[in-house]
Amino acid sequence: GLVIYTPEAPFDLPLSSDQWLYLFTPAVALVLYVLAVNLTRGRIGRAMRAVRDHAVAAEAMGINLAMLKTRTFAVSALYTGVAGSLGAIAVAFVAPDSFSVFLSITLFVGLVAGGAASIGGTIVGALFIEFVPNLADKVSKAAPGAVYGVILIAMMFLMPQGAGGFIAMLWRRVTRLSGR
């Protein structure tokens, strides 16, 4: 593996390297989140949804599937690269065995909990994988994995589109009732 040293705060700011990283990471996350929201609300986002929902119909409407899928893959690689870089700086060590199958499953659980078709659901999914295991451990010291599984299954049963889809559905109902 590689040892990585955390960078010092720039511009002679009175912050330690850990404080700088603690402030820098959410700022980068906020910028990337705003860019993702703008991307999905624009023309490219509509094309992505069209390809996701029905690729043949999207291609019939003139969307170049190969180009769109390649660009989507590139954007996802950009986000993954930035996240990996910030994670490597935070941990200060990178090795191939740092990324286990269990981590992949945990991230997939966050995707399912938040909703695959929702940008806002990513925050709920992240909160789910960060705090629900601790909650499950407090509920049952003997079988926290079982409690975690029951919470996940209940969430999937009650919100099949994930938390992001559930929040979007509630928002549509509230706006419909208010007469907007």
Side-chain angles (χ1 to χ4, degrees):
L2 298 173
V3 176
I4 299 171
Y5 298 102
T6 54
E8 297 296 323
F11 312 118
D12 294 328
L13 292 172
L15 299 171
S16 71
S17 59
D18 289 337
Q19 290 172 330
W20 165 247
L21 185 62
Y22 183 78
L23 295 173
F24 181 69
T25 302
V28 170
L30 180 65
V31 168
L32 291 176
Y33 186 82
V34 168
L35 290 174
V37 168
N38 285 335
L39 178 73
T40 58
R41 287 187 180 172
R43 186 174 145 234
I44 295 172
R46 285 192 304 273
M48 291 169 139
R49 282 190 301 280
V51 169
R52 179 196 68 202
D53 293 341
H54 203 288
V56 174
E59 192 170 29
M61 295 301 294
I63 296 173
N64 185 344
L65 291 180
M67 184 177 65
L68 183 71
K69 288 181 179 183
T70 303
R71 287 183 178 177
T72 303
F73 182 78
V75 170
S76 72
L78 174 122
Y79 276 75
T80 304
V82 170
S85 300
L86 291 173
I89 292 170
V91 174
F93 183 73
V94 178
D97 59 346
S98 299
F99 303 99
S100 64
V101 173
F102 184 72
L103 177 63
S104 296
I105 292 170
T106 302
L107 295 175
F108 184 71
V109 166
L111 173 75
V112 169
S118 168
I119 298 292
T122 58
I123 294 171
V124 177
L127 293 173
F128 184 88
I129 62 175
E130 186 64 31
F131 294 114
V132 172
N134 297 336
L135 175 72
D137 192 44
K138 288 180 183 178
V139 170
S140 172
K141 294 285 185 194
V147 174
Y148 183 73
V150 167
I151 293 170
L152 179 62
I153 290 169
M155 191 170 182
M156 289 171 46
F157 181 72
L158 296 172
M159 297 181 265
Q161 298 295 319
F166 181 73
I167 292 168
M169 186 255 324
L170 285 179
W171 181 255
R172 285 191 299 270
R173 286 186 180 179
V174 166
T175 56
R176 193 175 344 137
L177 289 176
S178 67
R180 286 188 191 186

